[in-house]
């Protein structure tokens, strides 16, 4: 087991790995947003008379170039740099020297990190919401493709009432659209500008108008008061992960239905061969791995939510380093949702219902028959129900 | 341990306890809402020509009386009745005989239960949201009462920058208002009328216009399609519990701060004696039990959320009996939140800050000093920072 | 919603409900164990010369009578008493006056509560373990009753290899026995005597030998050092709840298999009518509610574990009132497990496999055929596999 | 956001990423164990007369070389290979051609993967347990280094009774040793040989004695019956993660105490400078990041446990692809525990208590004084308590 971690590292390296080991890789996805946020902050400093127009343009240009260079893969956040903020600062200083230092006025790591994160989240949530609607659209297509097929409707996993492929797919489509709306609604907590809260206690001595960067960056509002900013950490993240959990539960339940329909005993559907895999010892089998993994990732998404809530619970107010760990479940949850959403529409396009195998229990029309008796004979439902039952199951 | 459960019960009683043991007590709080929902359903039947005007009035009057009688404590849902729906049905039949049976047309237990639950949730969420704002108001009062008191601002539990009681309380007030908004936003998922979805597959053979009961009951919309209704179960419930989790985390963090401030070593606050308790063997102590229990209930609220999400995960579509178990964490989470919100404003009213004990680390003004140097001398922040540091910690 | 909690209670009543509202009812099950623990403590005081022989006998007799009276239902722990310890103390004082006070020497609520709890847990774990083995025995009976029935063996919910009812039931029986062993193994953490640790810092000034009460009460050891006792709180509780979670997962998976086997499409089993229920609008249906509720309670058990772990996480050392809340998920988890275990053996006795409906996919023997080819022809498995596959699925 | 996942990948690549995207990297740590397990399987085949002595030696030698080559970093499991089993198979075939195929007889991916995983877990658990004891030893050193220092003992975060650094550190040391024992006890579920269960239904047609590989590989027993093997998946994993959760809770509580002791208000300890970091805008600060991250990782460890339990909940019996996802939380939980355990002993070595700052509340001796009064004057404790209280707090 010595391979696992005990590499005989010197102490400072061990501490570095423990404190920054995950961060630096995670921060790569935030660099572009940090560039945007930093320009927004520079604009705010300039408006407050704390940065000359020349310096602003120098910084804006250098930040833009640094971001483009990063997007081309020319540099990455390294472990030694610990985090994306340091990496960007070094890139900036390398390009413009001393002037690079002027951007740190009136800003702390705490508000810098959070601003980049929220800009990222706005994009992520929009992408999640859009893709979720694409899954709903794919379900609409399933309904259209099999418009005439009657399906048993189940309760308690028992045939209960007549349903249809259209109703089955339509129910899921509606819930995915509900998830898309839920994801979009997380913007309420995300869309607040943290810049100017600095370490959580503002920027005493500096005449900064926080609304300038808010307006420049397109945030809906500045986050007030400054002490609320760090207190709020984890809440927007958790809400995104909560909505991802609901989304993945819906996806997992859809998968569970398809896994059931794909058994030899139901045999209601065939699955596209690209989405099934062979067996190492059973030549006859085609396994529905993709749908099992969608079902399984329900649990992974839920664990991401648990982790985020667990991280912030019981913390004293003010920034705590624990909050840095939020990125791990947040990015993991977003990625697994995006991957699942990416694969679902194509998978659904390949699902074929097999009408020949759909056999409805004759008793499934009992409730409808009782309803009709009520309308035709004007008797109470309970009485109609008794008549139908006695016909179905004569003593 | 035979006392625990093995009471030598006959089988049918064991099954009854296992299936309905929790439900019947929980359902008591839904009876009033079931009365309202049932009248709404009767109105819908009447509009569809499936119920005569006379029968509608008979049902409306009997339902109203049954609900008032229940509110006066004259009857309760019993274990033998299994659930509130059966109990109300029996009350109704007892009062109006045969006509009582006419209300079951076009309705299943599944949509009946859910309609009552959603009407209840609309009230519960409104109450939670209102009380959460009252906590924020109490924090505003704390800020006003101690308007002039400077407090250390902490990061990493270390004195970092100057703050104030007003900023400390204001940060929490803002987050409680955010929680109140979050609770109110759960209405989006709650405010959809399930009536007419019946067992999840509609009411074939009956010409019911679902929008009639939707309008009568004040729902924002009818929940479409019918198959989405049972698929959606647990999602609104989970969202309420999620927002309660965030709320309780904020309450727990407030409690954690106060527990810290109440230590002999900080001694920043005194707590009202009604909210502290004595020790059985240590005569000198006054313990802050209420705040510890608020902190602890963070974990209980989170467990309610976990339970709700766990219940719906991986279920095949269509109604499953598992869904009945959702009421347990839902009601528990709502109750613990309401109790905590009920006690917090008074508790906060009694918190007194002790300015004599507030000692700020002299170095706490370092950042502000560096800021001022930047403004006055036009030097970059990093340079100002170095000058301040070398003054504070001379080599 | 005013009915919910806002009963206009006076402040002290609100505080009492918030701090002791759940405790007093929960403590009723601990009274018998507190009696035993208190006698053990008195024996320890007597051995240390801190209690006369006459007083010991007075206390022992009065405690025993108080316990018997409680068992007969003659008194209960009331909300005003707050907890079982106070209730027992009042019973004791009522019976023997001043002498009752002598038992509080060298003991705090903290070690008193915990001793009673651990004695209770020893019983509870033994009961859980025994009943879990009874479920395994019932599964052995299922295997025996259907000894000759071949069943498809599934992987990925697809027919994979031939199996049998005996193998199916035997697999679950083995895992329930594993759960029983896991439950019994929790004794390692439970079986340590907390008495003498008092509030967590021992009994300075008193010559008490902790091993006396340890021996008298049948604990495996005294819990050392005194500071470990409160630090350990929640760990044994969480381990019991963890093992209950595994047990309920196994029970839930068994239920899931039976729910699958009970669908009209599989129709592999019939279920005893006592364990199914009718439908309110579908006369033809018999629903497997009991098995759905077993599956659902998987989530409830897991939430109990989450709550226990969440309660102790991040607490500073030393007793904290949050720990009192551990009883809620602990008792809830134990009760739901005992109820499930109570109902499962009878339910399993009534499960009948329906051999006429068991149809094995002809290809299910492919792996076995390939194996035999290897043995008979001495060719590698991959080659045998190819030959079988080409025979099954000729191009 | 198009960067996130939508790389315009062709469908087969998307499916590959979705099904094997995490596996291949995770499997690298299992290669060495798969080599061992595969040799054990070959030994079993040879004993059954299904593999010639020459072939056994060829396979043993090639497997050993492949393993050594992997350990030197000469090859890795690639995404295209999907998993470590395929990678090792290709390495083997590359080295010995056709003979490599002979090892697949009587074995499925399912038992192959699980055997490697359990061999790995035996090592991991042993390493975790050993390192946990090293933390306890470091705490013993803290106690020894500060043998004479009296510390306040807290309950409810209030000074309660006199304690000492030795008692404080000793309590944690005892609990870490308890965690080490708990980790070691997970072997009960791990130490069972899955080989021969194949896909979960044994190896019909092959005369394999499972105990041969059991003995060769040093497992305590063969896992019976074959259907129990896949049913058991996740249970040992979850138990390891449960014990890691307890361990991390203990570590987090230790960190929480030190974070409290390190505040300027307590100032009970100084922390080694290697374990603190500077602030970007507050020159005076040294932040205790390492201890905050230990506290935070409590939540991460708990999420790993939740994920594992969530993955197996409600699955039908038989192998399901969801089970593959267990490796993610399992490896993550083990790694974060090993990293925390790796850093804690050195961190504890650097903790210095600052006796000059330790001030005990004079009332802290009240309980001891009351005890002494009981012994000296023979009065009941309650009476002694009243006397001490009236002296401390005269009216």
């Amino acid at each position: 087991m010595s391979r696992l971690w005990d590499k005989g590292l010197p102490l400072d390296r061990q501490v570095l790995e423990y404190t920054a080991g995950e961060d630096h890789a995670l921060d790569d996805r935030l660099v572009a947003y940090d560039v945007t946020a930093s320009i927004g902050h520079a604009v705010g400093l300039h408006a407050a008379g704390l940065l000359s127009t020349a310096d602003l343009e120098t910084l804006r240009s250098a930040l833009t170039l640094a971001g483009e260079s990063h997007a081309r893969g020319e540099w990455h956040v390294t472990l030694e740099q610990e985090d994306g903020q340091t990496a960007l600062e070094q890139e900036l200083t390398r390009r413009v020297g001393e002037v690079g230092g002027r951007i740190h006025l009136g800003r702390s790591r705490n508000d810098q990190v959070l601003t980049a994160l929220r800009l990222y989240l706005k994009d992520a949530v929009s992408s999640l919401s859009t893709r979720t609607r694409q899954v709903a659209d794919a379900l609409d297509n399933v309904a259209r493709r099999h418009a005439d097929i009657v399906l048993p409707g189940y309760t308690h996993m028992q045939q209960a009432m007549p349903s249809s492929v259209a109703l089955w797919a339509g129910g899921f489509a509606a819930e995915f659209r509900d998830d898309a709306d839920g994801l979009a609604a997380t913007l309420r907590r995300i869309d607040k500008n943290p810049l100017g809260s600095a370490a959580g206690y503002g920027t005493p001595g500096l005449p900064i108008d926080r609304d300038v960067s808010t307006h420049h960056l397109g945030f809906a509002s500045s986050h007030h008061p400054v002490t609320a900013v760090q207190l709020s950490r984890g809440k927007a993240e958790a809400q995104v992960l909560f909505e991802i959990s609901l989304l993945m539960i819906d996806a997992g339940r859809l998968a569970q239905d398809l896994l059931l329909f794909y058994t030899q005993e139901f045999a209601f559907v065939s699955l596209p061969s690209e989405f099934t895999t062979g067996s190492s010892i059973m030549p006859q089998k085609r396994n529905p791995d993709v749908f099992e993994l969608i079902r399984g990732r329900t649990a992974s998404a839920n664990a991401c939510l648990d982790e985020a809530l667990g991280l912030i619970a019981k913390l004293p107010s003010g920034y705590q380093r624990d909050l840095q760990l939020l990125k791990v479940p947040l990015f993991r949850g977003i990625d697994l949702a995006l991957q699942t959403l990416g694969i679902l529409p194509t998978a659904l396009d390949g699902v074929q219902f097999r009408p020949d195998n759909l056999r409805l229990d004759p008793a499934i029309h009992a409730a409808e028959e009782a309803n009709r008796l009520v309308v035709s004979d004007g008797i109470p439902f309970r009485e109609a129900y008794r008549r139908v039952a006695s016909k179905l199951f004569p003593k």
Side-chain angles (χ1 to χ4, degrees), chain A:
Chain A
M1 286 298 285
S2 62
R3 273 147 297 166
L4 274 194
W5 197 68
D6 186 11
K7 310 160 197 157
L9 293 175
L11 180 58
D12 55 351
R13 181 78 186 189
Q14 277 191 47
V15 172
L16 184 63
E17 294 245 0
Y18 197 73
T19 53
E22 294 177 300
D23 265 15
H24 76 102
L26 296 173
D27 275 5
D28 255 319
R29 81 170 68 183
L30 295 180
V31 167
Y33 299 98
D34 198 6
V35 164
T36 303
S38 293
I39 292 172
H41 177 59
V43 167
L45 288 178
H46 176 255
L50 296 166
L51 191 71
S52 71
T53 304
D55 283 354
L56 171 62
E57 290 318 315
T58 302
L59 288 171
R60 190 201 303 266
S61 157
L63 282 163
T64 305
L65 290 171
E68 290 166 359
S69 163
H70 179 267
R72 285 191 302 271
E74 293 166 5
W75 60 277
H76 293 287
V77 184
T78 65
L79 176 58
E80 285 66 32
Q81 293 168 326
E82 297 193 27
D83 55 43
Q85 293 73 51
T86 304
L88 184 59
E89 178 178 346
Q90 293 182 0
E91 273 297 310
L92 193 59
T93 307
R94 201 177 57 73
R95 288 166 190 269
V96 299
E98 188 74 349
V99 175
R102 294 203 176 264
I103 202 168
H104 300 296
L105 181 66
R107 190 175 73 169
S108 156
R109 284 290 153 85
N110 294 346
D111 58 344
Q112 182 181 1
V113 167
L114 191 52
T115 309
L117 187 73
R118 289 192 177 164
L119 290 173
Y120 159 77
L121 274 179
K122 288 176 71 171
D123 267 7
V125 156
S126 155
S127 180
L128 284 163
S129 181
T130 302
R131 281 156 184 266
T132 302
R133 286 185 207 287
Q134 290 165 357
V135 175
D137 294 345
L139 284 157
D140 287 348
N141 287 336
V142 171
R144 258 191 298 276
R145 273 207 317 278
H146 302 86
D148 303 326
I149 301 182
V150 171
L151 204 65
Y154 295 84
T155 65
H156 308 263
M157 297 177 72
Q158 296 289 302
Q159 293 201 9
M161 305 257 297
S163 180
S164 65
V165 174
L167 271 177
W168 175 82
F172 277 106
E175 288 310 310
F176 277 104
R177 291 198 172 95
D178 172 68
D179 296 328
D181 290 344
L183 284 159
T186 63
L187 270 183
R188 189 182 67 75
R189 284 202 169 95
I190 297 168
D191 209 4
K192 297 175 183 170
N193 182 18
L195 274 179
S197 67
Y201 303 97
T203 56
L206 298 179
I208 294 178
D209 176 359
R210 294 180 59 195
D211 290 341
V212 173
S213 62
T214 298
H215 182 259
H216 177 85
L217 294 170
F219 277 108
S221 65
S222 304
H223 199 159
H224 285 292
V226 288
T227 38
V229 174
Q230 294 303 320
L231 259 184
S232 78
R233 288 195 68 169
K235 290 173 74 178
E237 293 89 330
Q239 191 178 352
V240 172
L241 291 170
F242 169 72
E243 292 292 339
I244 285 175
S245 283
L246 289 191
L247 164 69
M248 290 301 296
I249 283 174
D250 283 335
R253 297 183 68 180
L254 175 65
Q256 180 76 338
D257 268 10
L258 288 171
L259 290 168
L260 199 61
F261 292 171
Y262 184 64
T263 58
Q264 282 101 327
E265 289 75 11
F266 276 77
F268 285 7
V269 296
S270 65
L271 298 178
S273 65
E274 299 85 345
F275 290 86
T276 59
T277 57
S279 157
S280 69
I281 64 166
M282 292 164 292
Q284 83 284 7
K285 289 189 66 188
R286 296 300 305 172
N287 294 323
D289 294 51
V290 168
F291 295 98
E292 294 170 278
L293 289 167
I294 291 173
R295 179 181 59 187
R297 285 191 171 108
T298 303
S300 305
N302 191 232
C304 292
L305 171 61
D306 281 344
E307 187 170 354
L309 290 172
L311 278 167
I312 56 176
K314 303 188 194 177
L315 287 187
S317 67
Y319 175 78
Q320 313 282 334
R321 181 68 187 259
D322 321 47
L323 298 170
Q324 213 83 355
L325 296 174
L326 282 165
K327 281 184 293 194
V328 182
L330 180 65
F331 292 177
R332 187 176 175 229
I334 289 171
D335 289 355
L336 72 84
L338 285 174
Q339 288 179 357
T340 303
L341 294 169
I343 216 161
L344 257 174
T346 327
L348 288 167
D349 286 350
V351 171
Q352 291 297 331
F353 277 81
R354 305 168 66 184
D356 291 354
N357 293 338
L358 296 167
R359 250 174 293 276
L360 273 68
D361 187 315
I364 206 171
H365 300 284
E368 182 170 0
E369 212 172 312
N371 283 343
R372 296 198 191 281
L373 263 183
V374 171
V375 176
S376 62
D377 297 12
I379 56 175
F381 179 75
R382 292 288 193 230
E383 170 60 19
Y385 180 108
R386 265 189 298 274
R387 290 195 203 166
V388 173
S390 67
K391 212 174 56 181
L392 276 168
F393 307 104
K395 300 253 165 67

